[in-house]
Amino acid sequence: MSILIRNVLLEEENVDVLIRGNRFERIAPELRDTRAEMVLDGTDMALLPSFANCHTHAAMTLLRGYAEDMELHTWLENYIWPLEGQLDEEDVYVGSKLACLEMIKTGTTFFNDMYWHFPGTARAVEEMGLRAALSSVFIDFNDQATAERRWRECQELFREYRDYSERIIFALGPHAVYSVSRGSLERARDFAEEHGLMVHIHMSETRAELEQARSALGMSPTQYLNELGLLGPNVCACHAVWLEEEDMDILARSGTPVIHNPTSNMKLSSGQFPYPQLAERGIPIGLGTDGCSSNNNLDMLEEMKFASLSCKAHYGDPTLFSAGEVFNAATRTGARIFGLEAGLIREGMLADCVLVDLRHPQLVPDYNLIANLVYSAPGDCVNTTICNGRVLMRDRRVPGEEEILSRARETARKLVRERAN
């Protein structure tokens, strides 16, 4: 497949962009004699890298609005986990397709997911044309029989899905230090090292988690994972809110990226992400939405705004987490964390990008496009979404979206009925 985008704004210059296969092949002011199978008119549009949502639980779209205004552990243990226990693979497939639709509509082409019923999510991602790093959530609560069963399931999934799709990265998903036994964490460490896998884990999300770790383990979650050898460039430490100075030094020395989830942190009152201290240490910082129960959407444009403003407000410094910095976290840094040749519009890079409509009221006037995107624009400023050289949305339309919405509504109603009975 070849796509030619004509007369599109790219970094303050109008250019033509040729996509061939899944890469940007040529970018120049005018490609007069170039032919392509599809031609897109980029007039009044800006071409930008698409977003990387680095922490999600995609199928939780089905739980959007279900349980609100509670602290994390009550919310999880009394509401979310019981309802999730009713989900089957088909439910997760339906919820994940809804998540993919929402992300396509708001300019995200890659997400890092941890959830139950891995095959359902993988099928949704493959059909919708996105990229993803997928992990099956691993929880054993120190029960040996559960640990053995879950570990066998993980190995079976790895054998079946490690080469499932060029757009899907198989990852491991130990939930957190309070929900996974030491033995299972060590197994995850060894298996990830043996097969070159990413590890997706919640870390130091709440004060309660930190205090529980100090009581049970005699150290912080970060220090515990470091002792186990389960930190490094292949480990995504999600939330990373309750960190001590020693924790941050450990993360810097080990090269461990952290994933900031500002909306979820604020909604659950989990605490303030220590952006300045982490940034000073050069720790890679990606951005994520978390699941739709604790956000309640997957819009990375909104997430960028909350990330920047919450940091400025907490530290009393309007210069912190600037528009450019937060945009890089949502694009270039997120892609780099997962080893993707994406996050930039350059010849030879993966053709993952969006066309933003510069006629959108919240992008006018255009003194600073990136600032407008971070502080002003909603997700519907995205007109066209391209992933891996394939147009997933054009003129705000995604093929099959009406059916996806209808099935999601039906599935959510079924879950609530079952829960009531």
Side-chain angles (χ1 to χ4, degrees):
M1 181 67 183
S2 58
I3 302 168
L4 180 61
I5 308 171
R6 289 204 178 276
N7 192 39
V8 69
L9 182 68
L10 175 63
E11 298 174 1
E12 302 184 352
E13 181 183 11
N14 280 76
V15 297
D16 292 349
V17 177
L18 176 65
I19 296 169
R20 197 178 302 280
N22 67 349
R23 302 272 174 173
F24 295 110
E25 184 172 287
R26 291 191 64 198
I27 301 172
E30 288 185 271
L31 298 174
R32 289 183 180 274
D33 300 323
T34 302
R35 299 287 181 269
E37 295 163 81
M38 179 184 291
V39 178
L40 302 179
D41 182 5
T43 304
D44 295 322
M45 301 281 182
L47 184 66
L48 294 155
S50 48
F51 301 117
N53 187 344
C54 293
H55 178 55
T56 67
H57 310 291
M60 290 184 85
T61 52
L62 296 176
L63 281 63
R64 194 191 329 253
Y66 167 71
E68 300 290 0
D69 305 321
M70 304 173 193
E71 64 86 27
L72 176 65
H73 294 282
T74 300
W75 174 76
L76 279 175
E77 293 168 13
N78 297 346
Y79 294 88
I80 298 303
W81 284 345
L83 190 62
E84 286 181 328
Q86 298 172 210
L87 296 173
D88 59 26
E89 182 181 319
E90 191 65 17
D91 297 332
V92 168
Y93 165 72
V94 170
S96 296
K97 286 200 79 169
L98 176 60
C100 290
L101 173 63
E102 183 178 346
M103 286 188 274
I104 291 168
K105 299 275 278 191
T106 53
T108 291
T109 59
F110 170 82
F111 66 102
N112 177 37
D113 198 69
M114 174 199 293
Y115 210 58
W116 307 104
H117 301 292
F118 180 107
T121 308
R123 181 157 53 108
V125 171
E126 182 64 8
E127 289 180 10
M128 296 297 288
L130 291 177
R131 295 188 197 282
L134 302 182
S135 56
S136 178
V137 61
F138 190 109
I139 295 174
D140 64 20
F141 288 118
N142 289 297
D143 179 78
Q144 188 61 34
T146 301
E148 291 299 330
R149 176 173 54 83
R150 295 291 294 125
W151 186 246
R152 286 194 299 272
E153 292 170 0
C154 181
Q155 290 175 305
E156 289 168 5
L157 286 171
F158 174 71
R159 286 192 290 270
E160 185 173 353
Y161 286 95
R162 59 181 168 181
D163 299 317
Y164 177 72
S165 168
E166 67 169 342
R167 290 180 281 102
I168 293 177
I169 299 167
F170 185 94
L172 300 181
H175 178 261
V177 299
Y178 61 84
S179 54
V180 182
S181 63
R182 182 185 184 102
S184 292
L185 290 171
E186 290 172 335
R187 274 178 161 174
R189 174 201 64 202
D190 295 343
F191 197 76
E193 183 176 344
E194 179 183 356
H195 297 286
L197 304 179
M198 298 289 293
V199 177
H200 185 181
I201 190 168
H202 299 82
M203 189 189 79
S204 296
E205 182 175 358
T206 64
R207 183 195 292 270
E209 179 186 341
L210 175 62
E211 291 176 349
Q212 181 184 17
R214 283 174 172 164
S215 174
L217 306 170
M219 62 188 81
S220 72
T222 307
Q223 292 157 16
Y224 180 61
L225 291 172
N226 185 57
E227 181 182 270
L228 294 180
L230 194 49
L231 289 177
N234 70 313
V235 178
C236 289
C238 298
H239 295 282
V241 172
W242 291 89
L243 299 176
E244 303 165 348
E245 292 293 324
E246 181 182 348
D247 295 331
M248 290 185 270
D249 291 339
I250 288 170
L251 292 171
R253 287 196 301 270
S254 62
T256 304
V258 297
I259 309 303
H260 181 26
N261 303 274
T263 307
S264 177
N265 292 345
M266 286 189 287
K267 187 181 180 192
L268 295 171
S269 296
S270 298
Q272 177 61 42
F273 181 74
Y275 173 77
Q277 299 94 319
L278 294 169
E280 285 172 4
R281 289 169 167 83
I283 294 168
I285 298 170
L287 202 63
T289 60
D290 211 346
C292 278
S293 284
S294 61
N295 186 298
N296 291 20
N297 65 42
L298 303 169
D299 186 346
M300 289 290 287
L301 284 154
E302 181 178 276
E303 206 67 31
M304 289 192 293
K305 181 173 183 175
F306 277 123
S308 181
L309 298 193
S310 64
C311 182
K312 296 175 192 297
H314 179 81
Y315 290 101
D317 184 347
T319 69
L320 290 177
F321 221 173
S322 69
E325 289 170 337
V326 74
F327 185 80
N328 282 339
T331 55
R332 187 183 313 182
T333 303
R336 188 172 70 243
I337 287 169
F338 290 89
L340 299 174
E341 295 180 277
L344 289 168
I345 310 296
R346 297 285 187 273
E347 291 180 359
M349 299 289 279
L350 287 168
D352 294 359
C353 57
V354 293
L355 291 172
V356 169
D357 188 350
L358 296 174
R359 298 163 298 185
H360 193 286
Q362 284 154 279
L363 291 177
V364 177
D366 185 16
Y367 298 119
N368 185 319
L369 176 58
I370 299 302
N372 278 354
L373 289 168
V374 171
Y375 299 130
S376 175
D380 68 358
C381 73
V382 178
N383 173 275
T384 300
T385 300
I386 298 172
C387 180
N388 207 42
R390 175 187 166 195
V391 175
L392 304 184
M393 177 177 73
R394 185 174 184 181
D395 295 328
R396 299 287 309 152
R397 296 298 299 166
V398 178
E401 61 182 277
E402 292 82 5
E403 181 184 355
I404 293 169
L405 294 171
S406 176
R407 287 201 66 190
R409 291 190 190 99
E410 292 172 8
T411 301
R413 285 195 290 265
K414 179 201 74 170
L415 290 171
V416 172
R417 285 197 304 269
E418 292 173 353
R419 179 72 175 145
N421 295 330

